[in-house]
Amino acid sequence: MAEDKGKRDSIGMSMKGGRTNNGFVQNEDILETDPDPGSPEDSPQHNAVDIFGPAEPDLKDVRPYAGMPKEVLFRFSGQARYRVPREILFWLTVASVLVLTGATIGIIAISPKCLDWWQAGPMYRIYPRSFKDSDKDGNGDLKGIQDKLDYITTLNIKTVWITSFYKSSLKDFRHGVEDFREIDPIFGTMKNFENLVAAIHDKGLKLIIDFIPNHTSDKHAWFQWSRNRTGKYTDYYIWHDCTRANGKTIPPNNWLSVYGNSSWHFDEVRNQCYFHQFTKEQPDLNFRNPDVQEEIKEIIQFWLSKGVDGFSFDAVQFLLEAKHLRDEAQVNKNQIPDTVTHYSELYHDFTTTQVGMHDIVRSFRQTMDQYSREPGRYRFMGIEAHGENIAKTMMYYGLPFIQEADFPFNSYLGKLDMPSGNSVFEVITSWMENMPEGKWPNWMTGGPDNDRLTSRLGKQYVNIMNMLVFTLPGTPITYYGEEIGMRNILATNLNETYDVDTLLSKSPMQWDNSSNAGFSEGNHTWLPTSSDYHTVNVDVQKTQPRSALKLYQELSLLHANELLLSRGWFCYLRNDNHSVVYTRELDGIDRVFLMVLNFGELSPLNLKEMISDIPTRVRIRLSTNSAYKGREVDTHAITLDKGEGLILEYNTRNLLHHQTAFQDRCFVSNRACYSSVLNILYSLC
C-alpha cells in the first residue's frame, strides 16, 4: 500500500510540477520553488519520465484536466470508453458524406435541364424610334427606353429586344447600316447605350439586339473603299461586269431584288455592277471573303463585350449567292422574261439558302459561345427567317450535335389575317410537329414589318391572341403596344421615304391621353400617333379591371408561376373553323389547364365528349372577360362569343399524354416530372 501511494504521489507531482505542467498552474497560491539538488525529488526514481516505465500506471482515479501532458492524454484516449465513441462518430461522418455525395449526384443525374433565361419568360420587342422620346426631338431614343423599364417589369418581361439602332442614312434605321459600332445620333450616344445595358441588368432583365449582317449602307466606309478598289476591301462586296449602253444597264443575269426589279446596280466609280438583295442603297457583303467573315465576328464580339445578352440575326438566308451567274427559273415559264420584275415571279434557288450558309451561321454561334462560359451569362442567338417554308425554318435550330440558333423566330401567327380555329391550329401544329426533338418553340403575334394585330384581325382578337401565346409551350414574344391593343396608323402625310407600308405598325407608343400620347413633349413626332390614343393607352388601361393590359399582366404572371405552362405537356383536343381546344399538364401535378379559344362565331362546345373523365363543373382560372374569373362552367355545354377565351382548371390523375388515343396529339420540349414530396423536378418519369 505504501508503495502504491508513493507511485500516485509521484504521478501527482509530475502532473502538477512546474516542469511538466506546460504552463498551466493548478494552484496559483502555492509558490514554485527550486528543489534542492540533493533532495529525493531530484533522484531518477522520482522523475516524471519514470512513471511511463515498464509498469502500466493506474489511471483509474485520475480525471482529465486542462494542461494534461500529452503522454498521459494518449493513455486516456486509448481507453475503450473514449476510443469507441470516437470511431463511431468518425464512421458516421464518413457515411453521411458518402450519402450526401450520392444523393447530390443522383439528384443531378435525374434532374431535367434548367430553363435558361430566354426560356423562362416573355420577350418584349421595342422599335426604339417609337417607344419613348426623352429629348423632345420627336424621336424615341435609348434614354427613353431606360425611363420606361419600370413599366416593362410590370409586364413580367424577362428579355428586352431592341431593333436596330446603328448609325444609318436610311430614315427607317433598320436595314442600311453605315457603321456597326456606332449608335445613330438620333438614338443617343454609346454612353446612353452602356447606361441602358446596366439599367436593364439591374432590373434583372436581359437584352438582345438586332443585327443584319447581309449588307451595309452604300455610305459605309467599306463600300467606299471597295468601289475604289482599296486593298483588301476590293472584294468586300459582290461586283461583276455588266453592260452599260444609252444610260441603261444590262445586268449579268435575271436575279431580282426583294423590292422588285434587277438586283444589280451600276456604279460609275468602279465601272461595274454590284449586287443588292434589297434596295440599291444596301449592297450585299461578299461572305465568301474570309476577311468579311472576320469583320462580322469582330462586330459581334464588340457588342457582346458591351454586355449584350444575345442577338437576333436577320436576313441570313441571303448571306450567300451561287458562284455562277445562271438565271433563276421563272414561276410562270410562259411569261415574257423582260416583264419579270416582281420577286415572287422567280424561284430563288441561286440567291437564298445556299450551301455553306448554315456554316456561317454556326460560326456566329461559336463566337457567341466564347462569351457564354461564365455561369448565368449564356448568350442567346435567334434567327429571323422571313419567307422561309417550315422545313427550311427548322434547319436554323441546327443538327443533333451541332448547335445553331436557340430558335428561329416564329412569325407565322403574325401573318394570319383571317382568324379561324383551323388556321390557328395549323400554325401551332406545323411548328410543333416539325420542330426537332428537345428544341424550344416561340410565338409572336406581330413585329415592325407586319400589320398590327388589331388592324389585321380586329380589336376583339387582342385578348385571345395574347392568351394563346402565353398558354402555348415556349417563349411568348410581344411587340410593343400589343399588350394594350394598338393599331396601325393611316398612311397619310408620312414624312418618310423608305418602305412606307412598314411604317404603319411603328407609330409612337401610347402612354397616356396627353399631347402626343405621352410619347414626346416635343412639338412634333416622327410619325403621327394613332387617333384612338385617348382611350387606348397605358394609363387608362392600368385602372380598368377588364382592359387588355390587365389581362396581359395576369397571363404573364400565370405563365411565370405555373409549371404547367412553363414545363408542361401540350395536348390538342379539337379544332374546327371556330375554336381551338388544348390542355397543359405535367406528371406529378394532378391539376390540368384546359384552354378553350373561340375565333369564330358563337359556338357551343361539349367538353365531356372530348375528355370523358372531366368533372361536370370546372373552375375558370382566367377569361378574356374578367367578369367570369373564378366562376364555374358546365362542361356539357360551354358557349363562347367570337374572340372569347377561357383557361379552365380541374383536378385529375388521368393525364392525356399517357392515354393511347392522345399520344400523337401531345408534345413536350424538355420532359420533366414534378415530385410534390421533395418539391423538385426530375427527368426519370
Side-chain angles (χ1 to χ4, degrees):
M1 290 294 293
E3 185 177 347
D4 290 342
K5 184 175 183 300
K7 278 188 176 181
R8 287 196 297 272
D9 290 343
S10 297
I11 292 172
M13 290 178 64
S14 66
M15 291 178 182
K16 296 178 181 179
R19 286 176 293 173
T20 58
N21 202 23
N22 294 327
F24 288 90
V25 180
Q26 297 298 316
N27 190 343
E28 294 181 357
D29 294 332
I30 301 175
L31 296 175
E32 185 176 84
T33 58
D34 292 334
D36 185 351
S39 69
E41 285 183 359
D42 204 35
S43 63
Q45 62 266 28
H46 290 99
N47 194 289
V49 178
D50 262 358
I51 67 172
F52 302 117
E56 184 79 15
D58 184 4
L59 303 177
K60 182 171 60 176
D61 295 330
V62 179
R63 303 289 183 206
Y65 58 87
M68 174 179 282
K70 63 181 181 180
E71 295 86 352
V72 179
L73 187 59
F74 287 153
R75 296 286 187 178
F76 278 104
S77 64
Q79 295 178 4
R81 59 176 174 172
Y82 296 110
R83 185 184 70 255
V84 173
R86 187 172 66 247
E87 291 179 352
I88 292 174
L89 287 173
F90 171 77
W91 290 112
L92 281 175
T93 302
V94 172
S96 299
V97 171
L98 292 175
V99 168
L100 287 173
T101 302
T104 302
I105 294 173
I107 290 174
I108 293 173
I110 67 172
S111 293
K113 183 181 178 182
C114 293
L115 296 184
D116 217 321
W117 56 265
W118 50 274
Q119 299 169 306
M123 295 182 176
Y124 191 73
R125 190 177 188 183
I126 295 173
Y127 189 73
R129 196 178 181 190
S130 299
F131 196 62
K132 185 67 173 75
D133 172 23
S134 69
D135 57 8
K136 304 180 183 181
D137 67 349
N139 295 283
D141 45 50
L142 299 178
K143 179 65 166 56
I145 297 175
Q146 184 175 341
D147 292 341
K148 290 297 183 179
L149 288 180
D150 284 339
Y151 165 73
I152 293 174
T153 60
T154 67
L155 303 178
N156 300 298
I157 298 297
K158 298 297 182 185
T159 304
V160 176
W161 173 7
I162 302 178
T163 62
S164 181
F165 48 75
Y166 309 105
K167 185 178 181 182
S168 172
S169 56
L170 293 177
K171 291 186 177 181
D172 190 44
F173 293 100
R174 282 203 76 215
H175 301 289
V177 177
E178 287 186 22
D179 192 334
F180 287 107
R181 290 181 174 86
E182 289 291 333
I183 308 291
D184 195 281
I186 205 168
F187 299 122
T189 65
M190 186 61 74
K191 184 63 177 177
N192 293 140
F193 178 79
E194 292 168 350
N195 290 340
L196 175 60
V197 173
I200 286 174
H201 290 162
D202 286 345
K203 296 287 185 183
L205 306 175
K206 300 291 185 179
L207 172 65
I208 63 175
I209 61 175
D210 272 2
F211 185 25
I212 306 175
N214 177 70
H215 50 261
T216 71
S217 165
D218 59 356
K219 303 292 192 301
H220 198 292
W222 296 346
F223 185 77
Q224 297 303 316
W225 292 329
S226 185
R227 72 196 306 210
N228 286 289
R229 303 177 188 266
T230 304
K232 68 175 184 178
Y233 299 100
T234 300
D235 295 322
Y236 262 43
Y237 296 83
I238 301 165
W239 297 93
H240 279 290
D241 292 332
C242 55
T243 305
R244 182 79 171 169
N246 300 322
K248 185 178 179 180
T249 300
I250 302 175
N253 54 33
N254 72 340
W255 294 355
L256 295 177
S257 160
V258 170
Y259 295 117
N261 298 316
S262 176
S263 57
W264 297 96
H265 184 75
F266 181 75
D267 180 70
E268 295 180 353
V269 175
R270 180 152 168 160
N271 203 32
Q272 280 186 310
C273 281
Y274 64 84
F275 180 71
H276 58 90
Q277 294 264 29
F278 297 92
T279 68
K280 63 183 177 61
E281 292 85 7
Q282 299 163 283
D284 276 36
L285 286 165
N286 177 17
F287 267 86
R288 297 192 185 278
N289 184 336
D291 289 332
V292 170
Q293 294 191 34
E294 185 63 25
E295 291 271 15
I296 298 301
K297 175 182 176 180
E298 291 175 1
I299 293 168
I300 294 172
Q301 292 173 328
F302 173 82
W303 290 106
L304 291 176
S305 67
K306 292 287 184 182
V308 167
D309 298 293
F311 286 95
S312 163
F313 291 96
D314 197 359
V316 295
Q317 68 263 43
F318 301 106
L319 289 177
L320 291 178
E321 299 75 32
K323 292 181 180 179
H324 59 73
L325 297 180
R326 293 199 296 269
D327 285 351
E328 292 186 314
Q330 296 179 193
V331 173
N332 180 3
K333 295 181 180 179
N334 296 322
Q335 186 175 357
I336 299 173
D338 288 345
T339 66
V340 176
T341 58
H342 295 287
Y343 192 71
S344 59
E345 294 173 345
L346 292 180
Y347 292 110
H348 304 285
D349 298 326
F350 302 148
T351 53
T352 62
T353 321
Q354 297 298 292
V355 174
M357 180 271 290
H358 280 279
D359 293 330
I360 296 173
V361 177
R362 289 172 196 139
S363 73
F364 299 163
R365 171 77 270 170
Q366 292 167 2
T367 300
M368 297 175 71
D369 283 344
Q370 297 171 7
Y371 287 78
S372 299
R373 293 168 182 167
E374 298 178 22
R377 290 308 307 273
Y378 180 80
R379 305 306 175 98
F380 167 82
M381 177 173 166
I383 296 290
E384 291 192 74
H386 298 295
E388 297 275 44
N389 62 38
I390 192 68
K392 288 185 177 180
T393 299
M394 292 298 149
M395 293 177 66
Y396 292 105
Y397 275 113
L399 301 173
F401 299 103
I402 303 176
Q403 185 180 5
E404 204 162 316
D406 292 298
F407 52 64
F409 289 104
N410 181 355
S411 60
Y412 291 96
L413 286 175
K415 298 174 182 176
L416 287 178
D417 53 11
M418 292 292 290
S420 72
N422 287 332
S423 59
V424 171
F425 168 80
E426 184 179 349
V427 169
I428 296 170
T429 53
S430 65
W431 193 276
M432 299 301 291
E433 290 176 352
N434 287 281
M435 185 176 64
E437 184 178 356
K439 297 300 183 179
W440 190 256
N442 69 99
W443 314 92
M444 54 202 300
T445 58
D449 297 325
N450 301 102
D451 287 335
R452 284 196 175 274
L453 191 156
T454 301
S455 298
R456 280 186 294 111
L457 307 183
K459 183 178 179 180
Q460 68 268 41
Y461 291 103
V462 171
N463 287 339
I464 196 174
M465 291 300 286
N466 283 333
M467 181 172 283
L468 176 70
V469 298
F470 273 103
T471 55
L472 290 174
T475 300
I477 302 172
T478 299
Y479 182 51
Y480 82 97
E482 300 289 5
E483 73 274 19
I484 59 174
M486 282 177 57
R487 67 185 184 188
N488 283 5
I489 55 173
L490 299 177
T492 57
N493 300 321
L494 299 183
N495 187 27
E496 297 293 323
T497 59
Y498 178 74
D499 199 9
V500 172
D501 290 339
T502 69
L503 298 177
L504 306 182
S505 60
K506 299 171 183 174
S507 58
M509 178 66 176
Q510 294 161 203
W511 295 105
D512 54 42
N513 56 14
S514 65
S515 176
N516 297 326
F519 162 73
S520 174
E521 296 179 9
N523 296 324
H524 70 281
T525 57
W526 81 283
L527 287 179
T529 55
S530 180
S531 59
D532 65 353
Y533 78 89
H534 290 285
T535 55
V536 180
N537 65 67
V538 172
D539 266 10
V540 167
Q541 294 196 12
K542 281 195 301 188
T543 61
Q544 294 176 340
R546 299 187 183 184
S547 68
L549 178 60
K550 281 291 185 181
L551 178 63
Y552 185 95
Q553 290 171 324
E554 290 180 317
L555 287 167
S556 61
L557 189 62
L558 187 69
H559 183 274
N561 293 331
E562 284 287 353
L563 285 172
L564 293 176
L565 296 179
S566 61
R567 301 298 298 252
W569 285 79
F570 163 84
C571 297
Y572 67 86
L573 305 180
R574 169 190 169 129
N575 68 282
D576 55 29
N577 196 43
H578 301 297
S579 60
V580 174
V581 183
Y582 55 94
T583 64
R584 300 300 306 277
E585 55 189 42
L586 183 67
D587 291 292
I589 297 179
D590 60 3
R591 289 182 300 113
V592 170
F593 283 154
L594 174 62
M595 269 58 67
V596 183
L597 309 177
N598 185 34
F599 294 89
E601 299 301 326
L602 194 69
S603 175
L605 291 172
N606 187 342
L607 298 180
K608 273 286 189 181
E609 292 180 350
M610 304 179 204
I611 309 173
S612 59
D613 62 344
I614 191 173
T616 303
R617 298 192 66 80
V618 296
R619 186 170 72 96
I620 298 175
R621 183 66 180 267
L622 274 181
S623 168
T624 53
N625 184 343
S626 62
Y628 296 159
K629 182 180 177 182
R631 294 186 183 181
E632 291 188 345
V633 294
D634 186 345
T635 53
H636 287 96
I638 293 180
T639 303
L640 299 179
D641 289 326
K642 179 189 291 187
E644 189 173 353
L646 299 175
I647 300 178
L648 305 176
E649 183 179 29
Y650 65 93
N651 294 330
T652 182
R653 294 186 181 276
N654 192 18
L655 301 180
L656 296 183
H657 70 273
H658 290 306
Q659 301 177 31
T660 304
F662 292 97
Q663 285 182 353
D664 292 336
R665 303 193 214 172
C666 295
F667 304 92
V668 69
S669 293
N670 293 331
R671 186 170 183 177
C673 306
Y674 176 72
S675 170
S676 58
V677 177
L678 300 176
N679 191 28
I680 62 169
L681 289 170
Y682 60 97
S683 59
L684 299 179
C685 51

